[in-house]
Amino acid sequence: MSKSSQLFPVPQSFGQKAQINKASYEELYRESVTDPEGFWGKQAEELLLWKKPWSKVLTWDFKTPTIRWFEGGKINLSENCLDRHLASRADKAAIIWEGNEPGETRTVTYRELHAQVCKTAALLRSLGVKKGDRVAIYLPMIPEAAVAMLACARIGAIHTVVFAGFSAEALRDRINDCGCSLLITANEGLRGPKAIPLKETCNEAVAECPTIKKVLVVRRTDAATPMEPTRDLWYHEALAKLPADADGRAESMDSEDPLFILYTSGSTGKPKGVLHTTAGYLLHVTLTHRAVFDIKEDDVYMCAADVGWVTGHSYVVYGPLSNGATTVIFESLPTYPDAGRYWDVVDRHSVTIFYTAPTAIRALVKEGDAWVKKYDRSSLRLLGTVGEPINPDAWLWYHAVVGDSRCPIVDTWWQTETGGVLISPLPGATATKPGSATLPLFGVQPVLVDDDGKEIVGNGVSGRLCMKFPWPGMMRTVYGDHERFRQTYFSMYPGLYFTGDGCRRDEDGYYWITGRVDDVLNVAGHRLGTAEVESAIVRSGLVAEAAVVGIPHEIKGQGIGAFCVLRENVAKDAATTKGILHTVREVISPIAAPDAIWFVSGLPKTRSGKIMRRILRKVGEGEFESVGDVSTLADPAVVSEIVATVKGAPLLQK
Ligand code: 7RM
């Protein structure tokens, strides 16, 4: 039997105590697709606190596209995450914060978090932020990040969290795209051995952001901080000055009022502002967090993702807090101060559920089992992964070494666009196979289509993964560009939502995501568009034209290979490579820096001028002999030069 078809049944002890078993999953799933409105109406009633009930569960049309859930309903997300828990969980830890240095921790109870969010909401109001206004959040992984998000949700402001590893330009572009009036940041961030000058980056960005009126600064460190007195305020000082009766009320929001915008890379152009709305998103993350992680009252749940990504939104902050769970916010790195850090955190905080990305697991596999075994992991009962396909070897290591062969693994497939998990095992219901995200969750109706958009039925088939029915957490539009929303997701296969992923459905009906089929890269779980990286490379002034492809990378899963045609009189040397890397880091982020830069004199193009990426991908993967048909190229000779260049040049760094 091949490794990847090995079946891991639900451990008996886990299954007996789980909230959902195989029979109840099958029954609930059937109900959710035969009567979606009945199913979701019931879930919305049971799982959420409403200010006013909805009049219509769902209105949808994938042509226009129009998606509305729970119309007529009134709700506030922060009340669902905080106020409703005060009666029974006021002294329960809402957040356990583990700071950059081991043992630097803080616990925030539901009572304290509620009070802090109310005060911050009042502060935002006093700064003139109103319902519908956009607020940018550029913070490290500190409790204040969750507080800022919840405070926005409380007053109906739309937050856009920007990953604190992004550059000033990237931050500026996001702020300007959605016209934020307020920016919330920290003076500095700490990531492992490095201090990140967040406020300096903000100063640089905001200099070109005409809509920003105020910058609110959390004091994370004692470092000297460049403040602009008319524009900038220290968060702690502003809170202290707030009158005792300041208005921290929860705004009554329509179900479809926007909650947040999160920028994500696509195959073309600039990152898109993915817009999520209030009630449907909240219901989706509440239900999926509860079901996928089998959440129980005394769980200590840890998702290692950053709040700058959608996983941080849905499964560090909103899902866990809506369920009244204890969520660990982890500021540091998996390898700081050493490769045992995750397990040290698990040990000291008695973490029961641990959720991370395959890239982190692969990096730790390399460091050896001793780092894991050094710590007590007996508290763990469930493990999860997200962000990219997990290779069976990494899965098996995670299962055997981290989970002592005792903990089920949930491999959760979803996207920024989907808001929450769509395909995943339920740990008490689904036997798992290493590398497969297994089965659709409630209400999720996946279909595979061929290149012509024809549905491929039956099992043991492969195609492109689409969805034929809406789910509550799906994005509603691209901020400010509804046509781009339609074009990107609904035009390729009319009547279907196209995910951008390729997928196999095996003999048992299990789904195996094979990766992106568009020009989107997944580098260490981070999404990057090839076009975005290419234009950053050209910005260096050294390169006339660039083409970027994904290349195999041991740890990151996918690395970036850049084919560059240099401008006249630019030398093919180390200084040029350095210049290109520097520019990409500045324009996007170090995440986007190529792992290989190949200088070539021309790119393989069709006669109509289209770059044949298929060829570059093959060469980048080291498949020099099977580049395929080159007869349609304007100049087939470029291929041999490209092959020779790649053969002769190793990766820049491992
Ligand atoms: C949550 C997140 C989305 C893309 C998606 C896939 C890939 C995510 C898995 C996965 C295989 C998984 N949002 N992806 N999870 N591939 N198995 N469990 O990652 O918007 O940043 O990325 O990530 O290609 O389309 S995201």
Side-chain angles (χ1 to χ4, degrees), residues 243-257:
D245 61 348
D247 179 8
R249 244 176 343 102
E251 196 79 38
S252 181
M253 304 300 289
D254 287 333
S255 293
E256 283 296 339
D257 275 337

Side-chain angles (χ1 to χ4, degrees), residues 310-311 386-389 411-417 501 513 516 522 527:
V310 74
T311 307
V386 59
E388 53 177 317
D411 175 350
T412 64
W413 176 86
W414 59 294
Q415 311 177 291
T416 306
E417 293 87 338
D501 280 334
I513 311 298
R516 303 290 304 198
N522 191 330
R527 242 172 97 164

Side-chain angles (χ1 to χ4, degrees), residues 258-552:
L259 173 66
F260 69 82
I261 299 164
L262 185 60
Y263 286 83
T264 195
S265 299
S267 49
T268 54
K270 289 205 168 209
K272 304 180 271 281
V274 168
L275 184 109
H276 284 285
T277 59
T278 306
Y281 171 82
L282 179 62
L283 178 61
H284 192 162
V285 299
T286 306
L287 176 62
T288 54
H289 180 258
R290 183 178 290 230
V292 170
F293 298 106
D294 184 46
I295 290 295
K296 305 238 168 62
E297 193 58 49
D298 53 2
D299 273 315
V300 177
Y301 162 90
M302 171 167 173
C303 167
D306 193 285
V307 290
W309 314 114
V310 74
T311 307
H313 285 61
S314 301
Y315 299 109
V316 173
V317 179
Y318 291 134
L321 295 178
S322 177
N323 283 322
T326 297
T327 185
V328 175
I329 293 186
F330 178 58
E331 185 183 35
S332 197
L333 301 169
T335 49
Y336 181 78
D338 58 49
R341 185 62 185 279
Y342 276 161
W343 326 120
D344 170 34
V345 176
V346 165
D347 188 346
R348 277 188 289 109
H349 298 294
S350 300
V351 172
T352 58
I353 303 170
F354 182 78
Y355 187 33
T356 192
T359 185
I361 298 168
R362 284 192 300 266
L364 296 177
V365 170
K366 243 186 57 179
E367 303 291 331
D369 301 4
W371 289 113
V372 186
K373 295 192 168 145
K374 190 171 160 198
Y375 297 97
D376 180 6
R377 285 153 290 110
S378 57
S379 57
L380 283 176
R381 64 182 192 93
L382 177 61
L383 303 172
T385 75
V386 59
E388 53 177 317
I390 181 161
N391 42 312
D393 285 322
W395 194 104
L396 291 167
W397 181 85
Y398 198 30
H399 185 261
V401 180
V402 175
D404 280 327
S405 303
R406 165 175 42 85
C407 307
I409 297 180
V410 288
D411 175 350
T412 64
W413 176 86
W414 59 294
Q415 311 177 291
T416 306
E417 293 87 338
T418 68
V421 179
L422 294 193
I423 302 179
S424 169
L426 296 186
T430 319
T432 54
K433 300 182 190 185
S436 172
T438 76
L439 299 172
L441 297 187
F442 310 125
V444 175
Q445 301 190 37
V447 291
L448 300 184
V449 298
D450 64 20
D451 292 351
D452 305 322
K454 232 180 89 222
E455 181 171 346
I456 307 169
V457 292
N459 289 341
V461 294
S462 291
R464 294 167 171 226
L465 180 65
C466 295
M467 298 293 157
K468 68 172 170 198
F469 198 85
W471 58 97
M474 77 186 291
M475 71 182 287
R476 300 298 196 262
T477 193
V478 170
Y479 186 81
D481 196 347
H482 198 65
E483 173 52 20
R484 191 167 174 204
F485 178 50
R486 191 194 65 77
Q487 177 78 37
T488 309
Y489 305 100
F490 300 93
S491 67
M492 189 89 101
Y493 307 114
L496 300 175
Y497 165 86
F498 175 46
T499 64
D501 280 334
C503 182
R504 183 163 70 86
R505 186 167 50 221
D506 74 11
E507 304 301 334
D508 299 321
Y510 275 35
Y511 289 82
W512 299 74
I513 311 298
T514 50
R516 303 290 304 198
V517 293
D518 53 8
D519 290 321
V520 171
L521 307 174
N522 191 330
V523 178
H526 301 309
R527 242 172 97 164
L528 293 164
T530 49
E532 204 184 340
V533 181
E534 285 159 7
S535 71
I537 290 173
V538 172
R539 284 272 302 278
S540 67
L542 302 165
V543 176
E545 191 178 25
V548 155
V549 296
I551 57 175

